[in-house]
Structures are given as C-alpha cells and as structure tokens.
C-alpha cells in the first residue's frame, strides 16, 4: 500500500493508488496469494534465486532488494533473481530502496508471453514486454533514480493518452499491420497494434538490445521461458554494489556529488528548466504532493471505495 | 593487435586496424605505457578495483574480464572496476570474451573531461562521454553481444559520415549554439557542436539516464572525478554472472536458446531482413571477411606502413 501511495506522491500515477482495485481483484480471483514467504531455491554468499510463490510483487521485490543489500553489505555485491513473481509496481522503488541504504543498484523487470506487446527491431510480431531498467545511487541529496521502459513509451502512458484523448508522438506505436500510428487506442484494438523499442527506425536496435539484456537477466536467469505461457507477472532481477569495496565510501561520496553538480552546471536550453538528475522530478513532485495531496479522479475514487466494500474495508476520508 | 583485427573483421572499422597509427603515437608520446602489470588496489572474493597503469586498454580490459570471470566461476559473481586505464577499443569484445567462457556479462565504459562531447538532456554544455553499454550472454550459437553508445550516434560514426560527405539524421548533433544540425563537421568546428543523448527531444532523458548509470559504475566506482582533468582515457567496469548459481546451467541453456528462436520467429518487416539477435550482424560479417579479407583504404594502409617504419617494424603484405 505504501508503495502505491509513494508512486502517486511522486507523480507516477499509472503505478499508484489507481491500481488498488486491480490488486483487490487479483487477490479475490486467487491470482495473487498474499502472505506467502519467499522460498530460496538456490543461494550463495552473493547470489540468490527466490520463488515468490505468487505473493504481492511489491512485498517480494522489497524483500529481494533487502537480501541483495544484506549480501552487498557483507561481501561487496549482492544479486537476487526471481521465479513466480507477481506485479512489482514501479521498479525504480527498489533501486531507490537500495540507494537509501547506501548501495549502487541496478534493477530489471520482464513479463511473460501474455504481456509481450513490444516488437523486436525489424519485426512485426511482438516478442518482448516493456522490460524496464532502473538504476539507483546514493548522493548527498536525493538518490539518483532512473526508471525507464526499453520500449519508447510504456503501456501505462499509452493507456493514459487514450483516456485523455491525446495522440502519440512518432515512433511509439504501430497498428496491427505494422504501420506507424499516433492513435493510442489501436494498442487495445481487436487486432492489437504493438509498441516500438526505444530509438525509432534508426536506433531502435538499441532499445531492442537493452530489452534482450533485461529478458536474459530478469527472465531467463530465473528459469522463465520467453515463448511459453506462464502464470507469473514479473521476473525481477536486482544487483546491489557497495562502493566501499571499489574506490571506498568516502571517495565515492565525493565524486558522486561532484558529478551531480557537474551535470547540473550545464546551461539549460530552456532557462526555466535546469538540467536535472534522474529521479529529481519525481522527488520534487513527492514533496509537493505531501503538502497538497494526491489528485484522484472521481471515477478512480469510486472504484477504490467499491473495492473496499467488496472486501469489507471501510475507507476513511 | 588481435583486438583491432577482430573489430575490423566484424565490420566495426572505426575500432579496427584504422587505429594502429594512433596507438603507435600514443606509445611514442609516452601516453600509453606498454607492458605494465595490473596493480590490484582493493580486492575481495567477488570484486576488484585495479590500477591499469596506463598500459594498453585492450590488454588491461581483457585481464580485468578474465578476473571477473574467474571470480564468477568460483563465487557466482565477479565485478571489476578500473583506474588509470587507456583506450579499451570496442567494449563488446569483453562481454563477448566472458560469454564465450559461459558467463552472462555487462560492460560499461566512461571517459574523462577531455572526451565529454555529449549533452545532458535539456542542457547545452556537454558533460558526458559517449558512455557505451555492452551486454553478452552465451547461446548454442554465437553469443548475444550488444554494444551501444548511450548517445544517439557515437563520435566515430559522426567522423565517418564527415569523411564520406554524408549528412546526419535528426536528433544526433547540435551546433555550438545548441541548434539541431545535420552537418557532421560541426562536431569538429572551432566552436564545436555536441552529441545528443539517445532518445531525441521526447525520450532523451533515457539515453541521459543510462549515461549517468555508466558514469557512476565505470567512472565513479573507480574513483574518477567527472569535472576534473585527468589523464586516463577509459574507465571500464565489468560484471560477470554464472547462470549456474541462478536457474542452473542446463535450464539457462534451454531458455536462452528458446528466447533466441522466439525473437527470430517474429515476421520481418522487410522479408529480406530477418529479425536479428544483438551481435548477429557482426559475427556474420566476421565470417565473410575471414574469407574475403578486410577492405583497407589506401590512405589507411599508407599510415599503417608509415607507423611501422617509425618504430622499425617491416609490415609484410
């Protein structure tokens, strides 16, 4: 629940409290099985493969991140991969969690056959999920927190554009005949369109290649088969590194803050928009919304109350 | 030398034998100090920070990759970062080296202040190098081998376009006034232009964010300061993972080959261009050129002979 609220506070509404009714339905339908313990399938001082047992992804991903950080604290590195994991929400949350504990972290997420809506570069049949990459690092201020889909635009933003009646930019979507389109509703047509990898017609091999990397680390290392129907929702992979075993904590803190200042010192193209560090807009939005509150559409609120009623939870407001 | 020849065989001419005269000059000028041993600054079972002592980057990066693989063979993971490293050539060579030993690998490379030609997203003063990311994984055929700059187009390709009198596509370069340009020569003007991060005006925060990740791992973990002039040429970071400690070698081999077949099964947009796996075009080119030879421009050959003469090496041909 705090994962959803924080996502909404950070302005990442598509991964926020909007999802609450979906999660209630997942529990009622038995797809998510709350409360199960992580089962360790294989473990070493620095690695683990865990079976998430279809528990809430936010719960298991947070525990996996703590496992990776605990290992990194003892041995310099920690790396944990998953099986049978459900939807983990925004992957940036976990690299942020690791960075707040003082670690540098990379997180990646894949999805099963049923969520493969992204075309390989040069292909017309989708073969990959939006396969996001996240990166986190501690600084003297907020952590660096990158969270990006390896397709041009993640599905949630296409859905939002459709709901808001907006058109999409170039190089985001093709229709069922692999023709470029700006109409977001075509992703949800009876013959659905498909998302394009990051990079457009010239550099799309880069988004495609990054997605392949995510598929190997977040999916295959956990033993998931890309072409076979499977019940899991997200394969999650997290790596935590302790700067202390490399240049040392003190030096790292010095150079990371130098780098942040160096990047920010680039004259902005738009004088009202200073150059930002990855995650900075989200942390700023969080501080704003902690004061002003989270704007919630009437329909979203109605669905949340309804979901509460279905499970006998009175929502106070 | 074999690194340069293999790059040329793979069609990656900008990192190939073309560079030979430059390397001779680097030795003659004392910038590169051949033959030095790697000095281990800090080491654990799974990590190392090494001082490359300004030896040839290709030599030290290969040794670092072997260190990472040796550690991964014993402990599941191995991760090595560098200080005082020179130009390592194509970073894809090292993840390929690790993949051929059976490991999954990520490699990243940064550069010092003097090579920062890439704009941060939204900025007009360059603050980052082309900061490439490489990824490798073993398969039943050639390894998966991704090697991509996190800017839209690496400097070497801009230089090649200039030499061939070609124009650049959109969203690659701006001039010294931060105005978009298609003229590659403006990167080398007296008031030089700058390279743009991968992703263009809408998604350039992704290329910028990935570049920041590379800067932290390949530069800062080695203790390098982004805003300070320094003599090193490339910071190199490599991570090797043994699939055996995750889902097990046998299962990994199975699912990686399934994934490769799954991606290739996507109907191609252009019937003459089947969907490819990262690295596939390069391995195909290598097999062709092993038969047909490496095409070398007359001027390049003249410069190689001249460089040989300068150091008393007769080049046989």
């Amino acid at each position: 629940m705090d994962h959803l609220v924080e996502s909404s506070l950070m302005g990442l509404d598509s991964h926020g409290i909007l999802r609450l009714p979906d999660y209630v339905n997942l529990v009622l339908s038995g797809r998510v099985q709350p409360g199960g313990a992580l089962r360790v399938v294989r473990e070493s001082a620095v690695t683990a493969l865990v079976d998430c047992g279809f528990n809430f992804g936010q719960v298991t991903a947070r525990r996996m991140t703590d496992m990776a950080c605990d290992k990194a604290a003892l041995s310099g590195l920690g790396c944990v991969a998953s099986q049978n994991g459900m939807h983990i929400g925004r992957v940036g949350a976990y690299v942020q969690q690791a960075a707040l504990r003082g670690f540098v972290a990379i997180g990646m997420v894949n999805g099963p056959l049923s969520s493969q809506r992204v075309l390989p570069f040069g292909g017309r049949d989708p073969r990959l999920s939006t396969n996001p990459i996240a990166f986190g690092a501690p600084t003297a201020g907020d952590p660096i927190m990158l969270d990006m889909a390896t397709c041009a635009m993640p599905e949630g933003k296409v859905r939002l554009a459709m709901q808001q009646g907006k058109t999409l930019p170039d190089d985001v979507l093709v229709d069922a005949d692999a023709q470029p389109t700006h109409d977001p509703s075509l992703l949800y047509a009876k013959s659905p369109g498909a998302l394009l990898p990051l990079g457009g017609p010239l550099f799309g091999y880069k988004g495609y290649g990054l997605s392949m990397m995510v598929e190997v680390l977040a999916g295959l290392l956990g033993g998931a088969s890309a072409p076979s129907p499977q019940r899991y929702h997200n394969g999650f992979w997290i790596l935590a590194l302790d700067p202390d075993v490399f240049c040392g904590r003190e030096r790292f803190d010095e150079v990371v803050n130098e780098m942040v200042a160096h990047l920010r010192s680039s004259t902005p193209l738009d004088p009202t928009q200073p150059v930002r560090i990855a995650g900075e807009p989200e942390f700023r939005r969080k501080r704003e919304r902690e004061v002003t509150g989270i704007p919630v559409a009437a329909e979203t609120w109605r669905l949340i109350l309804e979901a509460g009623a279905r499970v006998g939870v009175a929502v106070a407001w």
Side-chain angles (χ1 to χ4, degrees), chain A residues 12 23 26-27 58 61 65 90 96-97 108 117 128-129 139 142 164-165 169 193 214 216 236 267 316:
Chain A
L12 305 160
Y23 286 122
L26 285 169
V27 175
Q58 283 87 350
T65 304
R90 67 177 188 97
Q96 179 183 333
Q97 174 189 342
M108 301 188 196
R117 294 163 174 267
L128 294 156
S129 300
T139 78
D142 292 319
Q164 298 175 335
V214 173
V216 171
F236 176 51
T267 313

Side-chain angles (χ1 to χ4, degrees), chain A residues 49-277:
Chain A
L49 172 65
V50 299
D51 185 327
C52 297
F54 306 105
N55 194 350
F56 276 117
Q58 283 87 350
V59 173
T60 55
R62 182 176 299 182
R63 289 190 194 153
M64 287 170 63
T65 304
D66 270 328
M67 285 179 75
C69 291
D70 291 345
K71 290 174 185 293
L74 285 171
S75 305
L77 294 181
C79 183
V80 183
S82 72
Q83 294 178 337
N84 299 327
M86 296 309 286
H87 189 250
I88 71 161
R90 67 177 188 97
V91 58
Y94 310 103
V95 295
Q96 179 183 333
Q97 174 189 342
L100 290 171
R101 282 187 61 181
F103 299 101
V104 175
I106 308 177
M108 301 188 196
V109 175
N110 95 324
L113 187 63
S114 56
S115 71
Q116 290 174 3
R117 294 163 174 267
V118 182
L119 298 183
F121 185 64
R124 45 186 299 164
D125 306 308
R127 289 291 181 264
L128 294 156
S129 300
T130 61
N131 285 11
I133 297 177
F135 173 73
T139 78
D142 292 319
I144 296 169
M145 192 276 292
L146 171 72
D147 184 348
M148 55 169 269
T150 52
C151 56
M153 193 180 274
E155 186 270 332
K157 288 194 183 173
V158 175
R159 188 182 291 258
L160 197 66
M162 180 178 70
Q163 290 172 355
Q164 298 175 335
K166 292 183 181 167
T167 57
L168 299 175
D170 286 346
D171 302 329
V172 165
L173 192 68
V174 294
D175 65 18
D177 293 320
Q179 298 303 308
T181 178
H182 299 102
D183 177 359
S185 73
L186 295 182
L187 185 56
Y188 310 99
K190 197 166 175 187
S191 293
L195 296 165
L196 291 169
L198 172 69
L202 281 175
F203 303 115
Y205 68 92
K206 296 191 181 190
Y208 171 50
L210 290 171
S211 184
M212 213 179 294
M213 171 172 77
V214 173
E215 192 65 21
V216 171
L217 293 167
L220 310 191
L221 280 187
S225 170
S228 308
Q230 283 177 79
R231 185 181 152 197
Y232 81 103
H233 192 102
N234 280 157
F236 176 51
W237 178 88
I238 183 137
L239 173 75
L241 302 100
D242 185 352
D244 213 40
V245 300
F246 295 99
C247 66
R249 172 71 59 180
E250 203 174 328
R251 178 65 180 161
F252 183 80
D253 289 347
E254 188 175 40
V255 291
V256 82
N257 295 323
E258 279 178 9
M259 182 196 74
V260 166
H262 183 55
L263 294 173
R264 284 189 179 143
S265 74
S266 178
T267 313
L269 287 168
D270 171 353
T272 67
Q273 295 286 332
V275 170
R276 288 171 172 177
I277 304 306

Side-chain angles (χ1 to χ4, degrees), chain A residues 17-18 20-21 296 299-309 315:
Chain A
I17 57 172
L18 176 82
L20 205 57
V296 182
E299 176 64 5
T300 303
W301 188 240
R302 192 185 66 75
L303 292 169
I304 290 174
L305 294 180
E306 192 178 274
V315 179

